[in-house]
Amino acid sequence: MSRGSFVFTPTALRSLLVDEDLLERQMYAKSSTTSRFNSYLLKRADPRPTPTAHPPQVCHDLVVHNALFTGDLEALRRLFPKGSSANLIVESRGGDMRWVSRNAGLWSLTYEQELTTPLHIAAGRGFSECLRHLLQRGADVELSPAGSTALHEACENGHAECAKLLLSYGASANAVSEEGLMPLHMCTSPASLECAKYLLQFGATVNGRSLEEDNTPLHVAAQHGLPGHTELYLRYGAALDRRNDEGSTPLNAACSRPQEAEDLGRYHDVCRMLLAAGADVHTGDQDNQLPLHMACKNVNPDTVDLLLRHGASVNTMCYAGDAPMHNVLKAVAYKATHQPERIVRALLNHGSIRVWPGALPKVLKYCCDSPRTIEVLLNAYDRLKITDTWVENVPPDVFQTHRGFYESLFSLAQGPRSLQHLARCKLRLVLGARVPSAVPKLGLPTFLQNYLLLEFRDYVH
């Protein structure tokens, strides 16, 4: 049947583009004695001979499938008695559906089939006793019909006991999947820390690179905000200056990952460990975005403070022409709960460039849900020209929510800033980027020091 006469939807037509792969797998499943199985074996730097003399058989027995997927150890002992082979290929049903041609010219919508093994199923679900039984029955730890080994499955799901079993039975800690990932690259959750420890004890390469993204395990730990993994890899000599295909070091990677409010602390801890180990805050990625640019973009105040204490430059621009201040102001509208006002204050105290006065009404429009951000930003100016446009850019509901602040702001249209504020601006101008270090040395009362450092008051005067 030609594409021109195909009568299904565009979605169905697009699914035909991937049918070739599925049909090849079906042909492979029907002929277990063919050499096609070799194309599914893991590509390894140091290949070892497989212990099986014959290609594994394809298992369609639902009783076996049920025992494997439920972790029924007693059933597995009956199904795999002493002397039997545990090297089987299992076709498990995936969650995606696609159009499949089972006979010439006849198409049906069915669930995608995924190739796996009993060892993969047990390791991926944490059935350690079932895994032990299969290993004792001679299951091949390097079998990889879908492109990854059972050890990859165990590490991805954080099942440390299963990973330890596989390693003790000869699984390679540096096996590379068809996607170019080693087991350490699969350790992406806090639960996988023990897996990472076992892998390193069994000789995993701490600086191994992934094929597509060129990430090291330290990049992966940084991207997922994993302090325990980061500390572990640094202890084993992980390189701090390695760049991935985006030009990012692990520190860049930790700062650039989108972060939910509850995850900010974990990413801060990762950055703290990397900086303590000697990571460079001045290294930019391929777009010349420094760690500070990305920490501001993801609105992580503690990480920004940390980077500034380590000498990060507040006015370096990336290739898009954005300084860190631009990045945080762009993010205020949808990350107001991350306390962006703290970042704006820290940048200004370290000598950041200010917003062009003519653009302040636009900033007010997009940042009005965070009045403290507006407050600290406007307190960096000795004079403001408040017009009707400013009032129009604050929606009525936002004005009512923060009525006290916006009434104090719009009242500035009637007169100049206070003498106290003008004195603050003058002193800050003299000190420049030395404000954070110089103000504590002036011997002023605490409330005056805080005033000079743009402490929040929830009104302007």
Side-chain angles (χ1 to χ4, degrees):
M1 181 180 294
S2 68
R3 288 182 61 92
S5 61
F6 198 83
V7 296
F8 290 105
T9 65
T11 300
L13 290 173
R14 286 194 299 273
S15 72
L16 293 176
L17 298 176
V18 292
D19 279 337
E20 181 179 359
D21 174 67
L22 180 63
L23 292 174
E24 287 180 357
R25 292 191 177 193
Q26 290 175 339
M27 292 172 62
Y28 157 69
K30 293 178 181 178
S31 179
S32 60
T33 58
T34 181
S35 60
R36 183 180 299 276
F37 173 73
N38 293 331
S39 66
Y40 292 96
L41 289 177
L42 186 65
K43 299 177 182 178
R44 302 185 52 192
D46 183 23
R48 302 177 184 176
T50 59
T52 55
H54 304 285
Q57 299 294 316
V58 178
C59 176
H60 296 287
D61 192 330
L62 295 181
V63 175
V64 176
H65 291 193
N66 184 67
L68 290 169
F69 283 104
T70 60
D72 190 338
L73 180 59
E74 293 304 317
L76 287 181
R77 285 172 175 167
R78 294 193 303 270
L79 294 168
F80 296 94
K82 191 173 183 179
S84 64
S85 173
N87 288 316
L88 301 173
I89 299 297
V90 176
E91 286 186 341
S92 64
R93 191 175 73 173
D96 298 328
M97 299 188 72
R98 64 165 62 185
W99 290 99
V100 175
S101 174
R102 300 197 178 278
N103 296 298
L106 298 176
W107 294 79
S108 62
L109 189 63
T110 185
Y111 284 100
E112 182 179 356
Q113 299 296 313
E114 299 175 352
L115 298 181
T116 185
T117 72
L119 212 59
H120 285 72
I121 296 170
R125 285 162 176 75
F127 301 145
S128 57
E129 290 305 315
C130 295
L131 183 68
R132 189 189 306 275
H133 179 74
L134 294 169
L135 290 169
Q136 290 172 347
R137 295 296 176 265
D140 184 1
V141 294
E142 301 300 338
L143 207 58
S144 54
S148 62
T149 66
L151 183 57
H152 286 86
E153 294 281 338
C155 293
E156 182 178 11
N157 294 283
H159 299 308
E161 187 61 29
C162 293
K164 182 180 179 181
L165 272 172
L166 291 165
L167 289 165
S168 64
Y169 272 80
S172 172
N174 292 311
V176 182
S177 70
E178 286 187 350
E179 295 179 347
L181 301 174
M182 297 180 182
L184 273 181
H185 295 116
M186 309 301 291
C187 296
T188 59
S189 67
S192 66
L193 178 58
E194 291 301 315
C195 295
K197 291 179 179 178
Y198 287 132
L199 289 169
L200 291 169
Q201 290 170 8
F202 278 83
T205 303
V206 74
N207 288 315
R209 301 294 194 100
S210 63
L211 181 62
E212 292 185 3
E213 298 177 339
D214 211 21
N215 281 329
T216 67
L218 190 58
H219 281 94
V220 175
Q223 289 168 351
H224 291 86
L226 302 175
H229 294 68
T230 300
E231 182 182 18
L232 175 67
Y233 298 154
L234 290 174
R235 194 164 66 243
Y236 273 81
L240 292 165
D241 57 350
R242 297 289 176 85
R243 295 172 179 261
N244 61 15
D245 63 348
E246 295 179 347
S248 296
T249 65
L251 180 60
N252 295 108
C255 294
S256 63
R257 190 76 167 193
Q259 303 161 19
E260 298 299 328
E262 62 271 17
D263 298 328
L264 296 179
R266 293 194 293 111
Y267 283 95
H268 169 260
D269 289 341
V270 169
C271 292
R272 176 177 52 78
M273 292 175 183
L274 294 173
L275 289 167
D280 185 7
V281 296
H282 304 295
T283 300
D285 61 15
Q286 62 186 6
D287 296 319
N288 197 39
Q289 295 189 105
L290 306 182
L292 185 60
H293 284 94
M294 302 311 300
C296 290
K297 182 178 181 179
N298 290 309
V299 194
N300 191 327
D302 289 333
T303 299
V304 169
D305 289 339
L306 179 69
L307 294 169
L308 291 173
R309 288 197 301 270
H310 282 78
S313 173
V314 295
N315 288 321
T316 298
M317 292 190 177
C318 65
Y319 292 149
D322 291 332
M325 179 64 80
H326 297 115
N327 280 0
V328 65
L329 291 178
K330 290 177 181 179
V332 169
Y334 56 93
K335 289 200 173 182
T337 58
H338 286 211
Q339 297 181 302
E341 65 272 12
R342 287 180 51 196
I343 295 179
V344 175
R345 180 177 64 180
L347 294 176
L348 289 171
N349 284 338
H350 283 80
S352 171
I353 57 174
R354 299 176 301 175
V355 177
W356 175 57
L360 287 175
K362 184 177 181 180
V363 173
L364 177 64
K365 178 178 180 180
Y366 290 103
C367 301
C368 59
D369 278 324
S370 177
R372 283 192 165 185
T373 298
I374 301 299
E375 175 190 348
V376 70
L377 188 65
L378 298 184
N379 279 339
Y381 300 84
D382 59 0
R383 61 182 67 106
L384 296 170
K385 186 178 181 181
I386 308 294
T387 65
D388 291 342
T389 303
W390 289 55
V391 179
E392 294 168 359
N393 283 345
V394 178
D397 59 326
V398 175
F399 179 86
Q400 291 300 326
T401 303
H402 308 287
R403 187 182 187 92
F405 171 78
Y406 284 112
E407 284 181 344
S408 72
L409 172 60
F410 298 146
S411 69
L412 296 180
Q414 310 303 321
R417 303 297 295 266
S418 70
L419 182 59
Q420 185 183 36
H421 173 71
L422 295 176
R424 172 171 61 180
C425 289
K426 185 63 176 180
L427 185 54
R428 287 176 57 86
L429 180 62
V430 172
L431 294 176
R434 297 175 296 159
V435 165
S437 59
V439 167
K441 300 176 183 179
L442 296 178
L444 299 172
T446 302
F447 77 94
L448 280 179
Q449 290 188 36
N450 292 337
Y451 183 73
L452 287 172
L453 293 172
L454 305 179
E455 182 186 37
F456 309 114
R457 296 191 170 189
D458 298 318
Y459 64 89
V460 291
H461 59 90

